[in-house]
Amino acid sequence: MIDQSKLPLREEFFECADHRCVAEAIKTMRIRGAPAIGVAAAFGIALGARNSSAGTSSELIREIEVIAEILSKTRPTAVNLFWAIERMKRAVFDHKDLEVEQLKSLLEREAIFIAREDAETCRRMGVHGSILIEDGDNILTHCNAGALATTEYGTALGVVRAAHGQGKRVHVYADETRPLLQGARLTAWELMKEDIPVTLITDSMAGFLMSRGRVDKVLVGADRIASNGDTANKIGTYTLAVLAKENEIPLYVVAPMSTIDFNIFSGEEIVIEERDSKEVTRICGKRIAPEAVPVFNPAFDVMPNRYITAIVTEKGIARGPYAESLRNLLSRQEAGGKL
Ligand code: MRU
């Protein structure tokens, strides 16, 4: 995996040989972004199984449950993590009769399949979402919802990529995204690599740009979408959503179906991760605030569904009322519908 904590200063890759390494990488955000941590967790389980010396299938299954528990304790908000873990567990439970070695290969294949599926899903979201993008659009985005946050293409930035690939002239304003600067470090880096025009701004500049008519659309990813469409994403997204509505700018959420949590009705049920105070009192390790100052550091916030113009998924575009439109997409998915 590329070490996202080092970018853009160093482009370094690291390898994990066991599930503990994967869990630590997710926790410390060397790998981050909802779909990417789901894929990483799936490989974490496959690695855990590969390293197991269990003599029987039931012993292996018990070990997998422990490994799944360790991985699920890493980050609480992005539902893709739990979705991928559940899918790996289900693959095992559905094939309990297999021998140990067969189960190990099955898990490896399932992890590879989840990774490939993510790449395909992102491309499909790009196709659907690019319909919403017009030639000459200025697009504001927050955090990093790009190739880095997925296996290779991105969600919100996947839509930008697709539109750019179709020859539409798009320009992105990237919020720097304090405290961990995913916008400045990752989104700016990723877009520049692809020659997609990007301008970096600090988070507090977004409202001014909108009020001056310099933003046509806001495109963001998501960490968890409740069944009524309320959406958790990187802290600061809610602020953008309110500003976008005030300035009559459409805001689109781009996320795979695996980010929709049909087990919860509204955003109030989403657990919001709180992270170390040092992320706020320091920038790139350098202290910028009094050592003992009390800090509040929620990593995500929740946009009520009324602020969301549409949700782009690989199964199509949902518009309000979301309780109904998201369910329809789910039925389409369960029926194995195509693009
Ligand atoms: O804390 P992070 O960097 O993992 O948060 C990531 C985000 O909030 C992204 O916008 C979200 O996961 C969507 S990524 C395709």
Side-chain angles (χ1 to χ4, degrees):
M1 293 179 271
I2 190 162
D3 188 339
Q4 299 194 43
S5 66
K6 303 262 168 63
L7 286 171
L9 304 182
R10 285 198 302 279
E11 204 175 317
E12 271 177 29
F13 289 79
F14 66 102
E15 276 183 26
C16 281
D18 59 52
H19 65 277
R20 290 188 191 282
C21 167
V22 175
E24 194 56 23
I26 296 173
K27 207 182 246 174
T28 54
M29 294 175 65
R30 294 174 88 191
I31 174 126
R32 52 143 298 281
I37 62 177
V39 173
F43 278 102
I45 292 179
L47 280 172
R50 184 197 272 182
N51 294 335
S52 164
S53 49
T56 64
S57 300
S58 46
E59 206 181 316
L60 178 64
I61 293 172
R62 275 198 301 279
E63 281 184 29
I64 287 166
E65 278 179 351
V66 174
I67 292 164
E69 189 63 15
I70 292 170
L71 287 159
S72 67
K73 292 270 159 52
T74 50
R75 297 193 72 192
T77 305
V79 77
N80 307 62
L81 176 73
F82 306 98
W83 170 87
I85 291 172
E86 275 314 305
R87 191 158 144 178
M88 293 294 279
K89 278 167 66 174
R90 206 171 51 240
V92 170
F93 293 138
D94 288 350
H95 298 89
K96 274 187 182 146
D97 308 336
L98 293 180
E99 300 295 326
V100 171
E101 287 311 312
Q102 289 174 312
L103 274 180
K104 290 182 179 183
S105 337
L106 174 93
L107 284 169
E108 191 169 321
R109 280 201 306 276
E110 187 69 2
I112 293 169
F113 192 71
I114 289 175
R116 290 199 182 133
E117 196 178 81
D118 174 72
E120 175 59 20
T121 295
C122 287
R123 285 198 162 74
R124 286 182 182 211
M125 287 189 285
V127 171
H128 288 304
S130 60
I131 292 164
L132 304 166
I133 308 299
E134 286 157 82
D135 186 36
D137 268 352
N138 286 292
I139 298 166
L140 179 71
T141 192
H142 193 65
C143 194
N144 171 265
L148 289 165
T150 59
T151 46
E152 58 180 50
Y153 196 74
T155 58
L157 293 190
V159 169
V160 170
R161 234 176 217 114
H164 177 77
Q166 291 159 4
K168 291 177 186 166
R169 283 161 301 170
V170 284
H171 163 257
V172 176
Y173 284 111
D175 274 356
E176 68 170 351
T177 319
R178 270 286 281 155
L180 291 182
L181 304 171
Q182 289 92 330
R185 296 189 302 104
L186 309 176
T187 297
W189 179 80
E190 189 177 321
L191 291 175
M192 287 176 78
K193 262 194 150 204
E194 300 244 345
D195 281 329
I196 298 175
V198 56
T199 303
L200 178 63
I201 58 168
T202 68
D203 301 341
S204 49
M205 294 169 188
F208 173 68
L209 280 181
M210 289 189 200
S211 73
R212 292 291 165 102
R214 291 177 63 174
V215 176
D216 300 298
K217 268 140 210 160
V218 179
L219 247 66
V220 292
D223 289 87
R224 192 184 294 232
I225 301 173
S227 50
N228 73 345
D230 292 351
T231 295
N233 191 48
K234 179 54 55 195
I235 190 77
T237 307
Y238 169 58
T239 318
L240 281 186
V242 176
L243 284 167
K245 195 167 187 86
E246 166 69 16
N247 290 283
E248 296 177 5
I249 297 166
L251 179 145
Y252 300 110
V253 170
V254 187
M257 293 297 291
S258 54
T259 304
I260 306 171
D261 186 350
F262 287 99
N263 295 318
I264 57 168
F265 177 69
S266 83
E268 280 173 34
E269 294 164 75
I270 300 176
V271 177
I272 299 294
E273 176 183 13
E274 286 184 33
R275 295 186 59 88
D276 198 309
S277 62
K278 287 197 181 71
E279 293 180 355
V280 176
T281 56
R282 286 165 167 70
I283 292 186
C284 299
K286 189 170 167 35
R287 188 155 67 82
I288 53 151
E291 189 68 72
V293 66
V295 166
F296 179 46
N297 185 19
F300 302 96
D301 58 25
V302 179
M303 272 183 292
N305 56 21
R306 64 180 178 278
Y307 292 106
I308 301 168
T309 312
I311 299 176
V312 179
T313 74
E314 73 275 25
K315 291 293 165 198
I317 300 178
R319 292 182 190 264
Y322 291 105
E324 203 181 309
S325 57
L326 293 177
R327 277 263 154 222
N328 289 341
L329 291 184
L330 182 64
S331 318
R332 201 179 290 178
Q333 184 179 39
E334 284 169 349
K338 300 230 162 60
L339 271 176

